[in-house]
C-alpha cells in the first residue's frame, strides 16, 4: 500500500503538495513535522510533512516520490505544525513560506548540518587557587578586558560565545585566556533542564515593593494555563524584577521560558540581569548571530536543555517542549512587527502560542499599545499597573517649547540653548533627539527652488556631508552631490533643513568646550561601534548626545538630565492614524532614559503647535490618560482596535496597473460585510521605480475580515494582470507608508 503525505514547501503558492513515500523509505518512521527532501520542478526543496493522506484523489501516476527524510533531530513536532498552520491562516500567508521562515536558515537548506550543542567556556575547575593566582598574575596589567572576562566567567560559570560577545568581549580576549590555559572548553550538556537549589542566585533577588509583589503573585496563580497579562509600568518601575521572580517560579517547575525583546544587540543589560539571577543555560536568538549560532539556539531549545531563550521577533517560533511562560517586553515596539514577506506581529503570535500550549504570557511596557490597553479594558487580558519607582529616583518632567514665535539657531531655540548650557555647566549630560539622519533632508537651488530628487521615488535626496553623497532614504539610491541646479544651471545650491550629522557639527560651534557624539544608523554601522559610543558616554567622555530613534531603546543614561526633542510636529499631522500613539510612546520612552539615579530629568519638546490637544493631554495628564483619549478617538473613527484591518498593497511598473487590478477585484466583492476602502495611491506613491496602491479591507469582526480577505485572494489569483502586479496581504498592518 503506497503512503501519501501532504507537504508544505517553500514556494510562493498558497497550496500544499502531495508526495508519495517510495518503497525504499517505507522502513523509516515519518511523522507530522518531519523535514523531507522533495522534487519540485527541476529543483529539490525541503518540505515539512503536515499530514498523512488516507487516500489520494489525484492521479497516482503524476505524484512524485519523497527523495529523502532528513535527520530526525531536525524535525518539528505536531504541536509546532499546528501552530504554524494557525499562523498561516491568520495572516493569509503561503503555508510553505511560513514554515520556511519559522526554521533557522541552515534548516531551510539541503546541506549537511552540525546539530551538536554549542561550545562553551568556563574557568578550569582543575586549577588550584595558587595556580590561578600565578596564571592571573602573568596577564599584563594593561589587559583590563582579559581580566574582566576572566572574572565574569568565574562568576557565571560556562558561557557560550554569543553570550561572551554580547557582554562586550572580543574573540581575541577569549583566545588569550584559552592560550593561558585558564579556561576549559566543553559542549553545553544534552540533558533536559532540571531545577535545583543552585539555579537561583538568591543573594541578587530584590525585595519586591508591594505593587511588584502583587503582580508577581497574581501572575504566578495562573501558571500551567493560558492567561495573558499586561504589565503597564512606568519606566524604572521594576518590570524586569517582576519578570525575574515569575520566571523563577516557572523554572522551579522544570519549565522553559521564552523572553522576547525588541533588539538584544542594543540591550545587553537584559541578558546580564538574567545571568546574574539564574545559573542556567541561556540561549540567544537575534540578528547579530550567524546562522550556525542560531541553529544552536534552536537545537538546545528544542532538546529542552536551554532553560531560557532570550530572543528578538522571529524567536517566537523557537521550539521549546517544556515551555512554561512567554514574556514580550516593550510590547508596543514597532520592531515586533515583521514588515516584509511573512508579515506577522510577534506579540500576537506569542499570545496565540500561549493559548495553544496553555501557558501564561506577559506583555510589558511603560507605554502599552492601544491594542493591548483595549484588550485589557475589555478584560481579555489581566491588567497590572506599576505606578512607582522603587527607591528615590524621580520621573522626568516634560515641558513644551513654543518655537512658532522665536528664531531658531541651528534648530535650537534660545530657551533650549540656555537649558543646555546650564545642564552642561553642572557636569551633566544632554540628549538631543532628532529623528532624521544625514546632514540635510534635501538640497535645493537658491534661485529657482529646484530640489534634487530621487528619480525612482520622486522624493528629495538626503545630503550626507561626510561622504559628499546624496542618498535616497527610501530606496538606497546614491549619487554624488550636484554642483549645479538641474533646472536653471545656477551653482547656488544649498542644503535645506537639518539632520543629525549637521546638528552634531553645529554643536561644536555653539558649545565648543563640550564634546558631542552622534548615535544613528550611519555612525554605528560597523560592528562594536555602538558599544564603544555607549561606553564612552557612560564614562562622561561626551557631554552632548545627538541621536535618532535608536537612542530611545533600552539604554539608560543616568547622567543625562536634559532631553530635548527637536522635531515632533510631523506626527501631529500624519496620514498614519497611529502616528500620535507612536509619538507619545517615543516621548515617554525617551523621557524614561533620563535621570535615572537621584538626579531628576527634564524634557523639553520643541513644537510649532504647543496648543495641540494631543500634546497638551500627554504633557499634563500622562500616557495613560492620553491613551484613553486616543482610544475614544479611534472608536469614533471606527479604527483599530475597534475594527479589524487587512491592507492590500499592490505595485507595478505603471501606475494604472495596480489601481485597475485592485478596482477590478473590489468590484467583484459586492456583498461583503466589510468596508472596502480604496484603491488609493500609497502615501509614497512611487518607490524604487514602482507605482504603489493601497486597498484597505475594514471588518467589524475578525471573522468577516478573514472571509473577505479570502475572497480577495481568490479573485486576485485569477486576475489577468496577476503576473504584472505584485501584491500582498498585510493583516493588522502597522506601517501605512507602504
Ligand atoms: P523597568 O524595566 O520597569 O524600566 P527595571 O526593572 O529596569 O525597570 O528597574 C529599574 C531599577 O529599579 C533597576 O535598577 C532595578 O534594579 C531597581 N529595582 C527594581 N525593583 C526593585 C526593588 N523591588 N527594590 C529595589 N530596587 C528595585
Ligand atoms: Zn535652479
Ligand atoms: Zn529612491
Amino acid at each position: 500500500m503506497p503512503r501519501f503525505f501532504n507537504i508544505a514547501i517553500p514556494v510562493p503558492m498558497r497550496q500544499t503538495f502531495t508526495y508519495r513515500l517510495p518503497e525504499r523509505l517505507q522502513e523509516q518512521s515519518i511523522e507530522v513535522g518531519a523535514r523531507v527532501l522533495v522534487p519540485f520542478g527541476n529543483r529539490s526543496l525541503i518540505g515539512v510533512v503536515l499530514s498523512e493522506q488516507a487516500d489520494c484523489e489525484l492521479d497516482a501516476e503524476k505524484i512524485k516520490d519523497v527523495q529523502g527524510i532528513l535527520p530526525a533531530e531536525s524535525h518539528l513536532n505536531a504541536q509546532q505544525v499546528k501552530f504554524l498552520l494557525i499562523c498561516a491562516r491568520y495572516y493569509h500567508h503561503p503555508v510553505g513560506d511560513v514554515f520556511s521562515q519559522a526554521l533557522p536558515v541552515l534548516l531551510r537548506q539541503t546541506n549537511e548540518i552540525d546539530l551538536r550543542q554549542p561550545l562553551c567556556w568556563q574557568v578550569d575547575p582543575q586549577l588550584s587557587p595558587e595556580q590561578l593566582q600565578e596564571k592571573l598574575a602573568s596577564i599584563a596589567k594593561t589587559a583590563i578586558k582579559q581580566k574582566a572576562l576572566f572574572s565574569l566567567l568565574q562568576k557565571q560559570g560556562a558561557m557560550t560565545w554569543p553570550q561572551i560577545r554580547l557582554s562586550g568581549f572580543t574573540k581575541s580576549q577569549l583566545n588569550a585566556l584559552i592560550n593561558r590555559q585558564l579556561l576549559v572548553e566543553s559542549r553545553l550538556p544534552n540533558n533536559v533542564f532540571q531545577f535545583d537549589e543552585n539555579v537561583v542566585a538568591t543573594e541578587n533577588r530584590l525585595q519586591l515593593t508591594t505593587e511588584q509583589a502583587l503582580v508577581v503573585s497574581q501572575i504566578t496563580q495562573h501558571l500551567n494555563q493560558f492567561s495573558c497579562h499586561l504589565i503597564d509600568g512606568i519606566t524604572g518601575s521594576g518590570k524586569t524584577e517582576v519578570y525575574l521572580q515569575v520566571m523563577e517560579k516557572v523554572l522551579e517547575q522544570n519549565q522553559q521560558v521564552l523572553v522576547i525583546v525588541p533588539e538584544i544587540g542594543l540591550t545587553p543589560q537584559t541578558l546580564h540581569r538574567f545571568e546574574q539571577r539564574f545559573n542556567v543555560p541561556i540561549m540567544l536568538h537575534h540578528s547579530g548571530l550567524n546562522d550556525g549560532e542560531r541553529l544552536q539556539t534552536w537545537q538546545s531549545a528544542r532538546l529542552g536543555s536551554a532553560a531560557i531563550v532570550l530572543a528578538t521577533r522571529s524567536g517566537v517560533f523557537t521550539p521549546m517542549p517544556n515551555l512554561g511562560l512567554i514574556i514580550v517586553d516593550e510590547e508596543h515596539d514597532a520592531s515586533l512587527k515583521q514588515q516584509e514577506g511573512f508579515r506577522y506581529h510577534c506579540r500576537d503570535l506569542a499570545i496565540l502560542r500561549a493559548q495553544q500550549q496553555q501557558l501564561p504570557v506577559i506583555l510589558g511596557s511603560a507605554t502599552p499599545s492601544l491594542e493591548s490597553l483595549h484588550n485589557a479594558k475589555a478584560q481579555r487580558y489581566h491588567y497590572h499597573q506599576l505606578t512607582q519607582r522603587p527607591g528615590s529616583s524621580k520621573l522626568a518632567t516634560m515641558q513644551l517649547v513654543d518655537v512658532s514665535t522665536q528664531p531658531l539657531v541651528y534648530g535650537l531655540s534660545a530657551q533650549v540653548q540656555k537649558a543646555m548650557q546650564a545642564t552642561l555647566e553642572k557636569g551633566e549630560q544632554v540628549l538631543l533627539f532628532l529623528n532624521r539622519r544625514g546632514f540635510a533632508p534635501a538640497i535645493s537651488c537658491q534661485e529657482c527652488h529646484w530640489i534634487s530628487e530621487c528619480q525612482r521615488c520622486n522624493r528629495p535626496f538626503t545630503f550626507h556631508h561626510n561622504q559628499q553623497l546624496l542618498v535616497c532614504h527610501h530606496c538606497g539610491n546614491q549619487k554624488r552631490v550636484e554642483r549645479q541646479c538641474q533646472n536653471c544651471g545656477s551653482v547656488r545650491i544649498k542644503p535645506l533643513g537639518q539632520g543629525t550629522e549637521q546638528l552634531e557639527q553645529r554643536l561644536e560651534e555653539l558649545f565648543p568646550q563640550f564634546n558631542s557624539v552622534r548615535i544613528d544608523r550611519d555612525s554605528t554601522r560597523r560592528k562594536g561601534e555602538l558599544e564603544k559610543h555607549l561606553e564612552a558616554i557612560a564614562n562622561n567622555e561626551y557631554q552632548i548626545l545627538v541621536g535618532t530613534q535608536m537612542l530611545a531603546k533600552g539604554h539608560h543614561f543616568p547622567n543625562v538630565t536634559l532631553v530635548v526633542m527637536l522635531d515632533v510636529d510631523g506626527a501631529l499631522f500624519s496620514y498614519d492614524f497611529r502616528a500620535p500613539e507612536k509619538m507619545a510612546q517615543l516621548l515617554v520612552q525617551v523621557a524614561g532614559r533620563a535621570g535615572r539615579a537621584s538626579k531628576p530629568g527634564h524634557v523639553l519638546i520643541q513644537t510649532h503647535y504647543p496648543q495641540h490637544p494631543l500634546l497638551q493631554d500627554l504633557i499634563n495628564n500622562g500616557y495613560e490618560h492620553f491613551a484613553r483619549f486616543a482610544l475614544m478617538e479611534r472608536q469614533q473613527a471606527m479604527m483599530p482596535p475597534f475594527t479589524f484591518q487587512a491592507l492590500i498593497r499592490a505595485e507595478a511598473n505603471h501606475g494604472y496597473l495596480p489601481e485597475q487590478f485592485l478596482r477590478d477585484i473590489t468590484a467583484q466583492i459586492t456583498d461583503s460585510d466589510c468596508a472596502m476602502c480604496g484603491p488609493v495611491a500609497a502615501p509614497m506613491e512611487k518607490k524604487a521605480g514602482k507605482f504603489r496602491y493601497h486597498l484597505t479591507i475594514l471588518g467589524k469582526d475578525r471573522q468577516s475580515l478573514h472571509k473577505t480577505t479570502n475572497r480577495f485572494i481568490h479573485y486576485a489569483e485569477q486576475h489577468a494582470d496577476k503576473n504584472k502586479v505584485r501584491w500582498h496581504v498585510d493583516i493588522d498592518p502597522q506601517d501605512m507608508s507602504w
Side-chain angles (χ1 to χ4, degrees), residues 206-209 212 233-241 243 273 329 386 390-391 556 596:
L206 298 175
Q207 176 78 36
L208 294 177
T209 62
Q212 286 173 318
I234 59 168
T235 47
S237 60
K239 290 183 287 297
T240 312
E241 187 61 31
Y243 302 157
R273 285 173 74 176
D329 193 24
L386 295 175
H556 303 311
R596 266 293 172 99

Side-chain angles (χ1 to χ4, degrees), residues 221-414:
Q221 277 166 26
H222 291 91
L223 302 185
N224 305 310
Q225 54 180 302
F226 170 68
S227 57
C228 183
H229 301 267
L230 175 63
I231 304 183
D232 179 354
I234 59 168
T235 47
S237 60
K239 290 183 287 297
T240 312
E241 187 61 31
V242 170
Y243 302 157
L244 287 166
Q245 302 217 10
V246 177
M247 286 165 75
E248 189 179 322
K249 295 278 181 284
V250 174
L251 294 171
E252 269 174 21
Q253 304 188 33
N254 297 325
Q255 287 174 326
Q256 299 170 285
V257 182
L258 173 61
V259 183
I260 292 172
V261 292
E263 269 157 273
I264 295 178
L266 297 180
T267 53
Q269 307 92 302
T270 310
L271 171 67
H272 189 60
R273 285 173 74 176
F274 287 5
E275 286 170 343
Q276 282 190 322
R277 186 64 53 88
F278 302 120
N279 180 21
V280 297
I282 301 175
M283 295 298 287
L284 302 172
H285 171 108
H286 63 98
S287 60
L289 302 185
N290 64 34
D291 292 343
E293 290 165 342
R294 283 199 195 208
L295 179 63
Q296 288 177 338
T297 295
W298 192 86
Q299 189 59 10
S300 37
R302 181 186 179 279
L303 287 172
S305 63
I308 299 173
V309 174
L310 180 58
T312 48
R313 188 175 64 215
S314 56
V316 74
F317 301 111
T318 312
M320 298 172 82
N322 304 323
L323 188 61
L325 171 69
I326 308 176
I327 296 171
V328 182
D329 193 24
E330 308 293 356
E331 68 87 34
H332 66 278
D333 198 278
S335 75
L336 291 171
K337 169 89 195 226
Q338 168 118 331
Q339 305 283 15
E340 53 199 45
F342 174 25
R343 295 170 171 78
Y344 61 90
H345 200 298
C346 173
R347 173 195 62 219
D348 299 340
L349 287 190
I351 297 168
L352 271 178
R353 183 168 175 183
Q355 228 161 7
Q356 193 208 353
Q357 292 184 237
Q358 288 297 306
L359 44 98
V361 53
I362 302 176
L363 315 177
S365 175
T367 52
S369 63
L370 295 186
E371 278 85 356
S372 295
L373 282 172
H374 174 61
N375 282 325
K377 247 168 88 179
Q379 306 201 328
R380 279 186 286 272
Y381 302 168
H382 300 260
Y383 183 57
H384 311 277
Q385 263 182 313
L386 295 175
T387 60
Q388 273 143 27
R389 287 182 165 182
S392 60
S393 88
K394 296 225 167 48
L395 272 183
T397 51
M398 288 199 213
Q399 190 188 342
L400 298 174
V401 178
D402 184 355
V403 293
S404 64
T405 53
Q406 50 179 312
L408 300 179
V409 180
Y410 303 131
L412 306 174
S413 61

Side-chain angles (χ1 to χ4, degrees), residues 410 434-442 462-463 495-506 518 520 546 548 566:
Y410 303 131
L434 179 63
N435 214 7
R436 205 186 298 129
R437 57 196 176 88
F439 188 84
T462 300
F463 173 42
L496 205 66
Q498 180 168 253
T500 48
E501 196 184 305
Q502 185 176 171
L503 180 59
E504 184 191 19
Q505 219 176 73
R506 302 301 184 210
R518 172 167 57 99
D520 59 21
V546 177
T548 57
L566 290 176

Side-chain angles (χ1 to χ4, degrees), residues 77-133:
N77 62 29
Q79 193 177 49
Q80 278 173 290
V81 168
K82 196 167 145 208
F83 175 57
L84 294 176
L85 287 174
I86 294 173
C87 296
R89 208 170 319 130
Y90 184 90
Y91 286 105
H92 295 267
H93 193 73
V95 174
D97 195 47
V98 170
F99 275 79
S100 167
Q101 296 287 315
L103 287 170
V105 169
L106 289 179
L107 291 185
R108 300 175 203 168
Q109 301 166 356
T110 52
N111 305 351
E112 202 152 313
I113 41 168
D114 181 358
L115 283 169
R116 283 177 303 172
Q117 287 276 41
L119 286 173
C120 50
W121 289 268
Q122 66 187 97
V123 174
D124 188 348
Q126 308 279 323
L127 292 174
S128 67
E130 295 77 41
Q131 286 171 309
L132 269 182
Q133 258 332 312

Side-chain angles (χ1 to χ4, degrees), residues 710-729:
N710 272 328
R711 288 177 66 193
F712 177 92
I713 292 168
H714 173 78
Y715 291 125
E717 286 182 335
Q718 294 171 7
H719 194 278
D721 286 337
K722 66 171 192 275
N723 294 328
K724 293 187 202 147
V725 178
R726 277 182 53 161
W727 59 275
H728 66 253
V729 179

Side-chain angles (χ1 to χ4, degrees), residues 454-458 461 472-477 684 687-688:
C454 169
Q455 301 297 315
R456 305 172 67 210
C457 303
N458 297 350
F461 274 116
C472 173
H473 283 193
H474 304 288
C475 73
N477 194 6
M684 236 190 104
K687 181 172 168 178

